[in-house]
Each structure stands twice: as C-alpha cells, then as structure tokens.
Amino acid sequence: MISSGGYVFEMFRQYGMGLTRQVPKLAAGVMAAVALAGAPAHASEVVSSEVYSKNLSRPLTYNVYLPTGYETSSKTTYPVLYLLHGNDGVKNDWVVKGHMQSTMDRLIGHGDIPPAIVIMPDANTNWYVDLKERMETAFFSELIPHVEKTYRTIKTRDGRLIGGLSMGGYGAMRYALKYPEKFKAAALLSPAIYNPEPPKDSSARFVKVFAEPNANGEYSARVWQQNNYPAYFDEFLKKGIKVPMYINSGDDDDFNIEMEATRFYELLRANKQPAELRIVDGKHEWSVWSSTLADALKYIFRDVQRPQRND
C-alpha cells in the first residue's frame, strides 16, 4: 500500500493474461520484480484510491483503469469513462466479474477504441441519487473534480462518458438525461429504469433509498417516480443536447428489464435521439454484462475525443 498526496493507492497490474491481481504489501517488491521480468513495459493497471467526501461524510473509494503507456506519456490527456456498479456491488466488480481491464486492453490494442481512463466508484446501495446519501452531489462536485485534478483526463464533455449496469444503469441514465452537457455518450446495461414502478422483488423497494422523509426508509412510489426518467425527460429534450445511448438486457431478465429497456429505447428513437438496443441471451447476470461490454464500449467511444498530446 502506497500513500501519496493524501490519497491511498493499492496497485493492481495486468501482464498479458487478462488477469488482475493485488500485490500483497509484504511481498510487493519480490512479486513485482518477478512479474516485470516477463511483462511488457508500462502495462495497463487498475489502481484503488479514494477521496474524502464532505457530502457523504466518509471516503468515496474507487478503482481507476490507466491504459498501457499512461506512465510514459506525461503530456497526454485521455478520455474518461465513469462506470457504475449495481446494487450491492463494489468497485472491484467490473474488473473481477466483468473483465473490464482485459476488454479495454483488447479493444485499445486492436484500435477499436482509443486509450482511455475508466473510473469505477463504490456506491453501496444508494442508487446514485441524493436521498439516503448525497451521492449525486458527491459524484459531480467531488469525484469528478478530484479525478480531473489527479489524472490526466480530458476535462470537457467531448472526452467524458458514463455507463453502468442494473442500479448503475439507472444511475448512468439519470446522469446522462439530467446533465447531458457533461457526457458525450452513455452505456446502460440491464438498466433498472422501471416505469412506473419497480417490480415487487426489486431491491429498489428494500434499500431504504426511495422513501419519504421520516418514513423509516419505507418505499414510496411517489419518490421513485420523482427520480425516474419520465420526471425529467422533457427537460432533457429542451436542452437540445443529444447523448447517444447503448441499451441492452438479457432476454430472460429476472426483473423483465428487456421490456423496460425496449420501452426506453423506443422513447428515445421517437424523439429522434441516437440510441442502439441489444436484447441478448441471458438473465440479470454477469454473463450478460461481461459478454456485451465490448460492444457497449465500441458504441460509446465512437465519437469521443481522442487522447490529446499537450506539448
């Protein structure tokens, strides 16, 4: 574990096998030397870090993917993707279960997408809204400024993307519609965007987020509907900023999200908004998300600003 500038880093590296491993602190020197002996120089890495959030009254932890060559290209800025996990998930899910690092490496290596930075924040079960916690405010007023100060990201909309799965797909959808001036494109994988209400077995009803004040966390249909896309879709259209959206779902989703995804896609297309829909074989599970991640990344990175060298 290395401390630098008040932030804590745990180092992960990939060495050509699509694997991500944590280097134990006591053996870091020996293991790094062994690994580097057969590794390509400056391979991509996933770094765990945190920033203290005044809005959350706690550290906001996250993983960051840094592409191959980041360490040696000190004058280059990169596009950045914010990738949100699902309910009860953690920041490691995209790497361990979703194979994000090896997928990014492969797509970059083949020239399918540009080298980019990926930020994967921990959000517990707060659904990326300012209800149980002030996560939405923390995301925009603390996490993004911290990322742009700490890493060499392109700091404009043209270089910033958003994506997520399930609860994270809901969060990515909300952020793209509420703040289209901040994101060039969005990827919504099995997004939990239930309209008019979540199904009876959805976690959205039990996580004590969508509740009236002083109601002990009891689910409220009114609060859910206040925070779902029909409540602010017209305002999104009035802004006149198009955000291309990649939307998918398994065809046997446990929460019938294939129907929700199709309905949302149809709404976008009826309003002449750019979007693509994929209904694939599978349930509400990682085999769906990991197998479609590459397709989603290729779509959202299509028009993003390429890395910029600032001499």
Side-chain angles (χ1 to χ4, degrees):
M1 188 174 293
I2 305 168
S3 178
S4 175
Y7 304 110
V8 179
F9 298 88
E10 296 172 354
M11 303 302 293
F12 298 76
R13 285 191 180 275
Q14 177 200 348
Y15 297 110
M17 297 297 291
L19 300 174
T20 304
R21 68 182 68 179
Q22 181 174 3
V23 181
K25 183 166 61 173
L26 294 178
V30 174
M31 290 187 69
V34 172
L36 285 171
H42 309 293
S44 74
E45 60 185 16
V46 174
V47 180
S48 181
S49 188
E50 66 183 38
V51 58
Y52 186 80
S53 168
K54 292 181 179 179
N55 285 285
L56 302 177
S57 300
R58 62 172 175 83
L60 198 172
T61 58
Y62 64 90
N63 281 346
V64 53
Y65 165 90
L66 301 174
T68 299
Y70 179 85
E71 293 180 4
T72 58
S73 55
S74 60
K75 295 183 178 181
T76 300
T77 56
Y78 295 85
V80 57
L81 164 64
Y82 291 85
L83 201 51
L84 313 181
H85 65 69
N87 188 75
D88 259 350
V90 293
K91 59 184 169 52
N92 292 336
D93 285 351
W94 280 109
V95 178
V96 177
K97 299 178 181 178
H99 313 299
M100 180 280 307
Q101 185 176 14
S102 58
T103 300
M104 287 290 295
D105 286 349
R106 183 177 72 255
L107 294 178
I108 293 170
H110 292 168
D112 294 323
I113 66 172
I117 293 169
V118 183
I119 305 295
M120 296 155 280
D122 258 333
N124 300 319
T125 57
N126 59 37
W127 282 69
Y128 305 98
V129 294
D130 280 352
L131 291 172
K132 184 164 67 174
E133 291 187 293
R134 290 174 55 81
M135 184 63 188
E136 186 172 336
T137 297
F139 185 92
F140 287 98
S141 69
E142 295 172 319
L143 179 61
I144 290 181
H146 161 73
V147 166
E148 293 181 347
K149 180 180 179 180
T150 307
Y151 308 100
R152 298 192 310 277
T153 65
I154 296 171
K155 300 178 182 179
T156 63
R157 174 184 185 267
D158 286 343
R160 190 183 301 119
L161 304 166
I162 187 79
L165 68 87
S166 193
M167 176 187 86
Y170 165 89
M173 177 276 297
R174 287 188 75 253
Y175 290 177
L177 292 185
K178 290 187 69 177
Y179 311 100
E181 68 280 1
K182 293 187 179 296
F183 301 105
K184 186 68 172 177
L188 317 181
L189 309 187
S190 304
I193 53 174
Y194 313 111
N195 181 34
E197 289 191 71
K200 298 297 184 182
D201 56 348
S202 168
S203 61
R205 290 177 175 265
F206 308 115
V207 291
K208 299 185 176 182
V209 172
F210 301 99
E212 302 284 356
N214 305 313
N216 197 30
E218 182 180 352
Y219 166 77
S220 163
R222 188 185 73 88
V223 175
W224 170 264
Q225 291 164 4
Q226 283 180 334
N227 288 277
N228 202 13
Y229 67 86
Y232 43 81
F233 192 78
D234 287 346
E235 189 63 31
F236 163 71
L237 294 178
K238 288 178 183 177
K239 291 184 178 181
I241 304 173
K242 295 184 185 298
V243 182
M245 296 193 193
Y246 176 99
I247 310 162
N248 79 6
S249 174
D251 61 354
D252 194 24
D253 189 274
D254 304 74
F255 307 101
N256 296 321
I257 288 177
E258 66 271 28
M259 294 188 291
E260 303 290 349
T262 301
R263 185 181 301 128
F264 183 59
Y265 169 78
E266 290 174 345
L267 177 65
L268 290 170
R269 300 300 296 131
N271 286 277
K272 302 186 185 306
Q273 300 299 309
E276 290 200 8
L277 175 67
R278 303 282 189 273
I279 303 299
V280 301
D281 184 47
K283 298 183 179 182
H284 199 75
E285 57 192 353
W286 273 104
S287 62
V288 168
W289 307 320
S290 62
S291 66
T292 58
L293 179 59
D295 192 43
L297 293 173
K298 285 189 281 188
Y299 178 80
I300 63 173
F301 273 99
R302 229 172 22 180
D303 298 319
V304 80
Q305 187 171 344
R306 270 35 190 172
Q308 302 292 303
R309 182 171 175 83
N310 304 302
D311 292 321

